[in-house]
């Protein structure tokens, strides 16, 4: 392993201290900034290059990896501390260091910013009675929190005298050998950090302000009113849930109800969607659509494949098919991918329909009649060899802005700027590789400047009432700031919606005029009453989901088309745009075999709901994010398995094991009531976040509720109380009943995110369908006497070997399709010392593995020297490899272990 640590990196101390815990050798490189590929700007970045070639960039993930290497699995408590350090402590420490290092303010003033956080640490350590944050032994949580605090405190005497427990903890961690060695670098690190903070000042907290009504945090102190309200909701039971809706076919708006129309950006039919495409549009839209239905709102969710345009015609030529044949093939492929990911479209259609032609031509005729179209000469590239004008995607060349040599004729993939094909340097025809010439041709333009006033007035009204993501507003303002220009809406193609105007009948509509109209036409193929959705702005709320590159067409071009057509069209109320999801440290590339694409995900053996969970967990809402195999394993094993799955399984198993499968009677104590209030506040926050389409944060609320449940069980220990006297047994019953009702609530809260897992919980607990709605708080939906079914684990652990094999498989270098899932992995070169299939040898090796595993566990429990443990671990791994060979398995890809 090679660890790159710029000396001024804010996280250097904790990473270097954690590195000392790694059993494998780590080669620290202390020098300059990390050389992250394609990293924008001179940021102080750390990175850990693993021997496998993988690279980790998150400091906390690096620290946790070092502890995983020495066999310490993350616990709920360590995961919570790492999240707290990243979201609460880090920003406060950065602000304190800025005051001290850059502005030269006195120590007490800087330390004052940390006072509430230090008090939180003091209270936890005092209450827990343990010497460290997550138990009596130092863990990754202690190193990470210490590493953030040390640059500000430097020694425990800097802490206020009343924080005696915290001072003791800080002194003990600082005295440990790994932390002492890391602290020696502090003077040089602070000098570097001062320059970094001067150039990148952190956000400094302003004066305290009253929280708004919708910003209520579930971590605030509980009041008597909170507790009383939660108890009242609990007592109402199923009556607190919204009544079920009678299903409609087709779904149509209903007067007096909340009618929600949801669209997802139409995927290009000939592009197989990768994970970034899926989270950027259809998965995000599906999550909100499922939430909307749970709230019993009248909801229609439509999408479909965008099938016209240059890209389709180009691919059809490449594959020797007609455009229609190509679209038929890829439409089915898209439908299969989204069905596997459990995307719950009410209708998944396509744009190559008579309805598309009719509606697009009607909008065109209305724009023409109202004077919003222009005729003008457009200089276009023409290939004389092919005898045709070349549409944008039939041309490649050098980008005039960034000099990228493979820019398309409509947009550069490197810098993202929109370009005209004639602006390309060194253009080439993609069909024959000849050099096209610029030739004038007549085209039609949408007169955007004439519509700019209407657009700005509409935007002002919509932004005041709707939820638009910050990037959607920024991109739209940028277009308006630069002034709108007429935009061409026709193209010299044969595959598209025909232009119904003399002199232009040999042309088709340009895809960015035509494609958004697909939302309307796809709805029209779903129901003949489509206008009740799309010409009904008084009764319908429209949500558009997309990635940020699609924003201007949905916030400027398409709204101008509908405003100009002047036919009472439903315009977008809520425009939800994500940033980009990257793959590891680069981009997805089908041609280079880099990244996971939709048609490959099901062949990984990882369930669809795990993919959904992880993509939503790292959904790129405020900035680009990156898929990481190591992080996927970490989140699956810690959040899904150890947190969520552990709680729900324990709650159901207690009912089966201690009470014969029947929910026991419950007599709530003050402690139980406080749990109800805390969970109800979390659920209120969940609703607020979901309504604002902050899906990632809402998912974290669900995980927080599960942590409350785990802590509740751990503190009350029903497995012990059930063996006690009558009072203890009654307490065990109450705790079990409350816990299983909390598990039932989690089934509903999880449904938008992981619907398969939600259905499994509902089946195991036998929750009636009418009790699966989302109420205002925690309700007693499974009363005493309710019988649960068979309870079994919901998740399976991901093993490092399994994940590493997948990382290599999707890491590039092989653009060929992977072998079928049923095909065995290639066997390694045979080991002559091991005879495959020998029953006697298999038995002997199995016994040796068991014996060696017990020895390793005993050494770890005795806390012997790390080198001694590592030597025995290496021996264990060697025995496991020999056993794998003896059984005819590949030692590089052993079978995943299953939870029993």
């Amino acid at each position: 392993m090679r660890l790159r640590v710029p000396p001024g990196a804010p996280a250097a101390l904790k990473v270097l201290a954690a590195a000392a815990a790694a059993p494998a050798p780590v080669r620290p490189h202390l020098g300059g900034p990390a050389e992250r590929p394609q990293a924008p700007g001179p940021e102080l970045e750390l990175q850990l290059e693993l021997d496998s070639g993988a690279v980790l960039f998150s400091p906390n993930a690096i620290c946790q990896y070092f502890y995983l290497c020495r066999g310490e699995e993350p616990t709920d408590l360590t995961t919570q501390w790492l999240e707290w350090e990243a979201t609460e402590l880090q920003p406060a420490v950065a602000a304190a260091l800025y005051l001290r290092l850059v502005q030269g303010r006195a120590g007490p003033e800087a330390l004052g910013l940390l006072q509430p956080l230090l008090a939180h640490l003091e209270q936890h350590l005092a209450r827990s009675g343990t010497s460290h944050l997550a138990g009596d032994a130092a863990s990754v949580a202690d190193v990470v929190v210490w590493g953030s605090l040390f640059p500000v405190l430097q020694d425990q005497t800097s802490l206020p005298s009343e924080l005696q427990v915290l001072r003791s903890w800080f002194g003990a961690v600082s005295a440990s050998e790994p932390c002492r060695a890391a602290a020696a670098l502090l003077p040089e690190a602070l000098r570097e950090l001062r320059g970094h903070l001067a150039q990148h000042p952190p956000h400094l907290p302003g004066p305290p302000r009253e929280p708004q009504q919708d910003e209520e945090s579930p971590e605030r102190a509980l009041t008597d009113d909170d507790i009383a309200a939660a108890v009242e909701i609990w007592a109402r039971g199923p009556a607190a849930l919204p009544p079920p809706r009678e299903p409609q076919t087709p779904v149509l708006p209903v007067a007096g109800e909340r009618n929600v129309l949801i669209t997802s950006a139409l995927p290009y039919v000939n592009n197989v969607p990768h994970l970034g495409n899926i989270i950027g549009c259809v998965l995000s839209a599906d999550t909100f659509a499922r939430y909307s239905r749970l709230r019993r709102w009248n909801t229609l969710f439509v999408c479909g494949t965008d099938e016209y345009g240059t890209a389709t015609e180009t691919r059809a030529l490449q594959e020797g098919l007609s455009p229609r044949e190509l679209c038929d093939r890829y439409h089915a492929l898209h439908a299969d991918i989204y069905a596997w990911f459990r995307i719950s479209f009410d209708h998944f259609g396509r744009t190559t329909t008579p309805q598309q032609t009719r509606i697009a031509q009607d909008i065109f005729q209305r724009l023409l009649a109202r004077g919003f179209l222009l005729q003008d000469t457009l200089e276009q590239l023409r290939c004389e060899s092919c005898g045709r004008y070349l549409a944008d995607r039939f041309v490649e060349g050098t980008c005039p802005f960034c000099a990228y040599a493979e820019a398309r004729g409509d947009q550069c993939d490197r810098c993202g700027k929109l370009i005209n094909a004639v602006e390309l340097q060194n253009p080439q025809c993609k069909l024959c590789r000849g050099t096209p010439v610029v030739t004038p041709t007549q085209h039609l333009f949408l007169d955007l400047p004439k519509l700019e006033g209407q657009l700005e007035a509409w935007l002002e009204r919509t932004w005041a009432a709707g939820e638009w993501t910050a990037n959607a507003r920024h991109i739209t303002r940028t277009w308006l700031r630069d002034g709108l220009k007429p935009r061409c809406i026709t193209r010299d193609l044969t595959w598209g919606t025909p232009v119904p105007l003399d002199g232009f009948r040999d042309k088709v509509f340009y895809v960015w005029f035509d494609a958004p109209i697909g939302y309307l036409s796809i709805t029209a193929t779903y129901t003949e009453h489509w206008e009740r959705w799309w010409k009904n702005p008084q009764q319908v709320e429209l949500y558009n989901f997309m990635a940020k590159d699609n924003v201007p067409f949905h916030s400027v071009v398409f709204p101008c088309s509908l405003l100009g057509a002047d036919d009472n069209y439903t315009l977008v109320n809520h425009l939800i745009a994500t940033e980009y999801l990257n793959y590891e440290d680069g981009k997805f590339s089908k041609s280079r075999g880099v990244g996971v694409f939709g048609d490959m995900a099901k062949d990984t053996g990882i369930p669809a709901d795990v993919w959904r969970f992880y993509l939503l967990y790292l959904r790129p809402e405020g900035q680009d994010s990156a898929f990481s195999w190591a992080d996927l394993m970490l989140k699956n094993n810690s959040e899904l398995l150890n947190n969520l799955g552990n709680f729900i399984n324990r709650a159901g198993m207690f009912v089966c094991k201690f009470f014969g499968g029947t929910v026991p009677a419950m007599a709530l104590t003050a402690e139980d009531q406080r749990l109800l209030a805390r969970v109800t506040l979390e659920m209120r926050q969940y609703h607020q976040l979901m309504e604002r389409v902050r899906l990632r944060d809402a998912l974290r609320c669900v995980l927080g509720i599960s942590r409350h449940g785990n802590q509740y069980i751990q503190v009350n220990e029903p497995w012990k109380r059930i063996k006690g006297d009558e009072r203890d047994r009654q307490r065990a019953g109450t705790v079990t009943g409350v816990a299983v009702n909390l598990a039932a609530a989690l089934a509903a809260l999880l449904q938008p995110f992981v619907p398969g897992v939600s259905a499994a919980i509902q089946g195991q607990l036998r929750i009636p369908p009418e009790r699966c709605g989302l109420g205002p708080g925690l309700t007693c939906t499974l009363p005493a006497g309710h019988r649960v079914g068979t309870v079994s684990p919901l998740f399976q652990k991901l093993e490092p070997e399994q994940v590493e094999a997948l990382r290599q498989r999707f890491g590039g270098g092989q653009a060929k399709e992977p072998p079928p899932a049923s095909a065995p992995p290639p066997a390694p070169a045979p080991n002559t010392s091991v005879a495959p299939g020998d029953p006697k040898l298999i038995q002997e090796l199995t016994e040796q593995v068991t014996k060696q595993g017990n020895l390793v566990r005993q050494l770890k429990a005795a806390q012997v020297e790390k080198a001694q443990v590592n030597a025995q671990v290496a021996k264990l791994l060697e025995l496991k490899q020999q056993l794998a060979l003896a059984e005819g398995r590949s030692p590089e890809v052993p079978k995943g272990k299953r939870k029993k």
Side-chain angles (χ1 to χ4, degrees), residues 601-852:
K602 61 183 176 183
D603 296 330
T604 62
I606 297 174
D609 272 9
V610 174
W611 285 113
R612 287 179 62 110
F613 168 82
Y614 184 61
L615 291 174
L616 288 161
Y617 190 95
L618 52 78
R619 183 172 182 260
E621 295 184 356
Q623 60 184 1
D624 292 355
S625 59
F627 172 90
S628 159
W629 283 107
D631 191 50
L632 169 64
M633 180 180 70
L634 181 64
K635 296 301 186 294
N636 177 84
N637 295 349
S638 61
E639 293 292 2
L640 289 182
L641 189 63
N642 294 340
N643 175 16
L644 189 64
N646 179 58
F647 169 70
I648 292 170
N649 187 253
R650 292 173 85 190
M653 287 298 296
F654 290 159
V655 177
C656 296
K657 185 176 180 180
F658 301 148
F659 301 98
T662 300
V663 176
M666 290 162 273
L668 300 185
T669 66
E671 179 189 357
D672 305 321
Q673 293 176 354
R674 291 181 67 81
L675 174 70
L676 301 185
R678 182 63 66 199
V679 171
T680 295
L681 286 181
E682 286 273 18
M683 291 179 68
R684 187 185 303 172
Q685 182 81 346
Y686 168 91
H687 284 304
Q688 291 169 357
L689 291 166
M690 289 297 284
E691 289 183 11
R692 295 165 62 185
V693 203
R694 289 171 54 184
L695 308 179
R696 186 183 62 193
D697 291 338
L699 179 56
R700 281 162 168 72
C701 276
V702 180
L703 298 172
I705 291 172
S706 179
R707 289 193 187 92
H708 284 305
N710 274 314
Q711 185 177 15
Y712 175 68
I713 286 178
Q714 207 63 30
V715 168
N716 285 281
E717 300 180 322
W719 61 92
K720 291 183 180 179
R721 292 182 181 270
I722 196 67
K723 301 174 184 177
D725 57 20
E726 181 60 30
R727 182 176 178 182
D728 277 343
R729 288 195 297 272
Q730 183 184 54
R731 182 64 188 149
T734 297
V735 172
T736 298
V738 171
V740 78
N741 272 280
L742 181 52
L746 284 168
L749 293 164
L750 285 167
Q751 207 276 342
F753 302 96
V754 283
V757 171
S758 173
I761 299 169
Q762 293 173 37
Q764 291 183 19
L765 301 183
R766 292 180 179 167
I767 307 172
E770 65 274 11
R771 298 186 190 177
C772 293
L774 276 175
L778 181 56
T779 61
C780 184
T781 54
L782 305 181
H786 174 86
R787 289 198 61 80
V788 303
T790 302
V791 177
S792 58
L794 296 167
F795 305 104
Q796 180 179 329
K797 184 177 182 181
L798 289 177
E799 299 292 345
E801 299 90 344
Q802 175 189 2
V803 170
E804 176 60 20
L806 291 169
R807 190 194 66 78
Q808 292 185 13
R809 173 179 162 188
F810 295 103
Q814 75 295 336
K816 295 183 293 185
E817 291 297 313
S822 58
N831 185 333
T832 55
S833 65
V834 177
D838 184 345
K840 184 178 179 181
L841 179 61
I842 291 174
Q843 182 179 356
E844 290 177 358
L845 287 171
T846 301
E847 292 173 355
Q848 291 180 42
V849 166
T850 302
K851 183 178 179 180
Q852 186 68 16

Side-chain angles (χ1 to χ4, degrees), residues 258-317:
R258 185 172 183 180
N259 301 295
V260 177
L261 175 58
I262 299 172
T263 70
S264 172
L266 306 182
Y268 280 128
V269 70
N270 56 289
N271 286 350
V272 179
H274 57 63
L275 298 180
N277 302 138
I278 289 169
I279 186 58
C281 52
V282 296
L283 179 53
S284 294
D286 176 70
T287 304
F288 185 76
R290 288 177 177 275
Y291 173 76
S292 182
R293 296 185 192 113
L294 274 175
R295 294 295 301 274
R296 313 305 191 196
W297 300 336
N298 190 38
T299 304
L300 179 67
F301 176 25
V302 296
C303 188
T305 42
D306 175 10
E307 301 189 355
Y308 282 136
T310 315
T312 302
E313 196 170 337
T314 306
R315 178 61 67 86
L317 286 169

Side-chain angles (χ1 to χ4, degrees), residues 579-595:
E579 300 291 319
Y580 294 138
L581 176 71
N582 296 316
Y583 180 78
E584 295 281 351
D585 56 351
K587 293 184 177 181
F588 291 85
S589 172
K590 187 78 169 179
S591 62
R592 293 186 291 112
V594 175

Side-chain angles (χ1 to χ4, degrees), residues 378-456:
L378 183 70
E379 289 190 329
Q380 194 167 342
L381 292 172
R382 178 178 174 84
C383 180
E384 298 299 337
S385 300
C386 297
R388 62 189 296 170
Y389 287 100
L390 298 180
D392 298 340
R393 294 206 174 203
F394 282 97
V395 187
E396 282 184 351
T398 302
C399 174
F401 301 104
C402 71
Y404 179 54
E406 298 178 12
R408 300 195 314 263
D410 59 346
Q411 188 173 15
C412 176
D413 283 337
R414 172 178 287 175
C415 67
K417 291 190 177 180
L418 300 177
I419 52 182
N420 291 323
V422 294
E423 297 174 333
L424 288 172
Q425 300 168 8
N426 307 315
Q428 278 191 331
C429 171
K430 287 187 66 175
L431 302 177
C432 70
R433 289 299 167 187
T435 301
V437 295
V438 178
T439 307
T441 176
Q442 282 289 111
H443 279 284
L444 294 166
F445 291 75
L446 180 62
D447 193 352
L448 291 178
K450 189 181 288 187
L451 289 159
E452 192 165 352
Q454 290 187 57
L455 178 71
E456 289 180 330

